[in-house]
């Protein structure tokens, strides 16, 4: 009886094989937990400070607009850079730069009358550094984790992210409410300092001997490869659509006001992460899934439906429950996307494609902030939320009709996945 129960638990609990097999994965996991925790302190404090200074939904939503161009430009360049230089150095330097920007926010918050324009300037610079860093981080995963453990690694990384996303917003709301914005930024600085020290312990991740210098031609080569792969296009397009139409986080402060639940603002930001965490803690079954495209589709559609319901309910607890379900759907979709990316893309293009991936999962939320803020100013907060959720569901359906190969993707038979698995096996043999 005990052995049967152990087997059942093992099939549900997260697969920890990547943690056991890779020392660098363990280091990145711990570093990421520290960074996510500290980053969410600033990510919550910054829009709250803009709201306090302006009391304008449009001003808060405009933060997404100033972040958009740096993210696009530096995300694409960061992808080319990740294929051309040591990825470890890129990660260390960008983490240090993010810590300096947190210091600017801290000093501005200490002023008797904090200025508004530095908040937008820092938001743009953070977006640029994130664009440079994310391709190096994301492309490193395919190198340090065995091919067959990519889904498990994605689940463990999501658990790390959600842990920080739950604790960070909840604590940030309390810190800002009772101590002000400066202490929240101070905690962010401390987190980035610790992250730099951890990253210095990573093994070097040099580029291939014949790697070319970052160039527009190299970026275009990566874009051509992505355009020629319908499955990859499907993952990018669905994520962009889901985030553009159904990412209402920027107007949560106004939703909390309408529901007379200012006390629940931190919980609203954290609820999606709670749902993702629950799914992550029961994600053992996903390691056996081969049809990862279905995870992408069902997860994104579930996200949109849950957001639509959150915009319709008057009870704060039902809203929080819907946001938790939305988070679970987002994580399910993310597991499918990450696995497809890491199991199909060649190593020599991994950085450049990671740059495109950064755009697919980052540009959507930035545009979504602008959409949500502008629409809330026009129609009201709640209509902006529920209509966006319904538009997300509709767009996922249309994209499935346009790119049907995403639905039929199978890791065991897809040519790119089989080719990448064979190449990963050769790389491991050469290292051994």
């Amino acid at each position: 009886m005990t052995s049967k129960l152990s087997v059942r638990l093992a099939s549900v609990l997260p697969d920890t094989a990547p943690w056991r097999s890779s020392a660098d994965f363990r280091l990145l996991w711990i570093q990421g937990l520290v960074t996510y925790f500290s980053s969410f302190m600033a990510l919550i404090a910054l829009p709250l400070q803009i709201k306090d200074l302006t009391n304008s939904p449009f001003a808060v939503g405009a933060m997404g607009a100033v972040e958009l161009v740096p993210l696009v430009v530096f995300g694409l360049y960061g992808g080319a850079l990740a294929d051309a230089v040591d990825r470890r150095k890129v990660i260390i330097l960008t983490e240090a730069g993010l810590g300096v920007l947190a210091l600017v926010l801290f000093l501005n918050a200490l002023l008797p009358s904090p200025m508004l324009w530095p908040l937008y300037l820092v938001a743009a610079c953070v977006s640029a550094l994130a664009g440079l860093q994310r391709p190096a981080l994301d492309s490193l995963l395919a190198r340090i984790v065995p091919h067959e453990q990519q889904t498990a690694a994605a689940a463990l990384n999501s658990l790390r992210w959600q842990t920080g996303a739950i604790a960070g917003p909840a604590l940030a709301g309390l810190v800002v409410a009772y101590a002000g914005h400066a202490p929240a930024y101070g905690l962010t600085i401390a987190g980035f300092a610790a992250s730099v020290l951890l990253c210095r312990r990573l093994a070097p991740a040099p580029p291939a001997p014949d790697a070319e210098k970052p160039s527009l031609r190299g970026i275009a080569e990566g874009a051509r490869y992505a355009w020629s792969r319908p499955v990859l296009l499907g993952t990018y397009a669905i994520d962009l659509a889901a985030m553009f139409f159904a990412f209402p986080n920027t107007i949560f402060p106004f939703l909390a006001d309408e529901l007379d639940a200012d006390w629940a603002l931190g919980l609203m930001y954290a609820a999606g992460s709670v749902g993702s965490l629950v799914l992550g803690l029961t994600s053992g079954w996903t390691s056996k899934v081969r049809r990862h495209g279905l995870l992408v589709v069902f997860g994104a559609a579930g996200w949109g439906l849950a957001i639509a319901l959150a915009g319709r309910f008057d009870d704060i607890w039902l809203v929080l429950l819907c946001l938790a379900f939305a988070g679970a759907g987002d994580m399910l979709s993310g597991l499918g996307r990450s696995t497809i990316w890491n199991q199909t893309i060649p190593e020599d293009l991994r950085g450049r494609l990671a740059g495109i991936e950064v755009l697919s999962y980052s540009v959507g939320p930035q545009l979504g902030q602008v959409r949500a803020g502008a629409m809330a100013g026009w129609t009201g907060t709640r209509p902006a939320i529920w209509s966006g959720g319904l538009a997300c569901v509709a767009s996922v359906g249309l994209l499935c009709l346009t790119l049907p190969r995403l639905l039929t993707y199978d890791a065991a038979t897809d040519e790119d996945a089989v080719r990448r698995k064979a190449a990963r096996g050769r790389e491991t043999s050469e290292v051994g």
Side-chain angles (χ1 to χ4, degrees), residues 245-326:
F245 288 115
F247 190 79
N249 292 30
T250 191
I251 56 175
F252 278 172
F254 302 94
L255 179 60
D257 287 345
E258 288 191 16
L259 297 176
D260 194 24
D262 291 344
W263 56 271
L265 179 59
L267 295 178
M268 291 171 67
Y269 281 112
S273 297
V274 172
S276 295
L277 182 63
V278 171
L279 184 65
L281 291 172
T282 57
S283 63
W285 61 275
T286 60
S287 294
K288 302 177 180 65
V289 172
R290 301 187 319 188
R291 302 283 298 279
H292 302 109
L294 294 178
L295 298 184
V296 175
V297 170
F298 289 134
W303 158 271
L305 180 61
I307 292 295
L309 291 174
R312 296 295 299 174
F313 286 127
D314 297 318
D315 186 277
I316 182 59
W317 294 108
L318 289 177
V319 171
L320 292 173
L321 182 63
C322 289
L323 293 176
F325 275 108

Side-chain angles (χ1 to χ4, degrees), residues 61-155:
M63 188 173 67
V66 302
E67 293 171 337
L68 181 58
V69 173
L71 183 63
V72 172
V73 174
F74 287 92
L76 290 173
Y77 180 76
L81 191 67
D83 282 334
V85 302
D86 190 322
R87 293 167 186 172
R88 172 179 172 271
K89 291 182 179 179
V90 175
I91 296 169
I92 292 173
L93 290 174
T94 50
E95 284 290 283
L98 289 168
V100 171
L101 292 175
L103 177 62
V104 173
L105 292 175
F106 176 76
L107 295 175
N108 182 62
L110 292 177
L111 295 175
S113 298
M115 297 178 287
L116 180 62
W117 66 266
L119 304 184
Y120 289 113
L121 177 62
V122 168
C125 292
V126 166
S127 185
L129 286 177
L132 286 174
Q133 183 190 79
R134 289 305 306 182
L137 270 174
D138 293 348
S139 60
L140 193 58
L141 188 64
R143 177 181 290 190
I144 64 176
V145 175
H147 180 88
E148 65 277 4
Q149 295 177 10
Q150 290 298 327
T151 304

Side-chain angles (χ1 to χ4, degrees), residues 360-385:
S360 79
Y361 63 67
S362 299
V363 170
Q366 306 307 327
L367 292 175
Q369 290 185 80
V370 177
R371 183 211 67 84
M375 193 166 182
W378 176 41
T379 66
T381 301
R382 295 173 68 190
I385 295 173

Side-chain angles (χ1 to χ4, degrees), residues 18 22 24-25 28 83 87 134-151 153-154 157 205 337-351 353-354 357 420-421 423-425 427-428 431:
S22 173
D24 276 347
F25 179 80
L28 279 179
D83 282 334
R87 293 167 186 172
R134 289 305 306 182
L137 270 174
D138 293 348
S139 60
L140 193 58
L141 188 64
R143 177 181 290 190
I144 64 176
V145 175
H147 180 88
E148 65 277 4
Q149 295 177 10
Q150 290 298 327
T151 304
N157 278 345
R337 293 193 311 270
S338 179
T339 304
I340 290 173
W341 294 341
N342 287 329
Q343 287 189 345
T344 63
I345 298 171
E347 174 62 23
D348 61 335
L349 290 171
R350 193 68 199 86
L353 270 294
E357 291 154 18
R420 176 61 187 144
K421 183 177 182 179
R424 186 73 176 92
E427 293 163 7
T428 303
V431 171

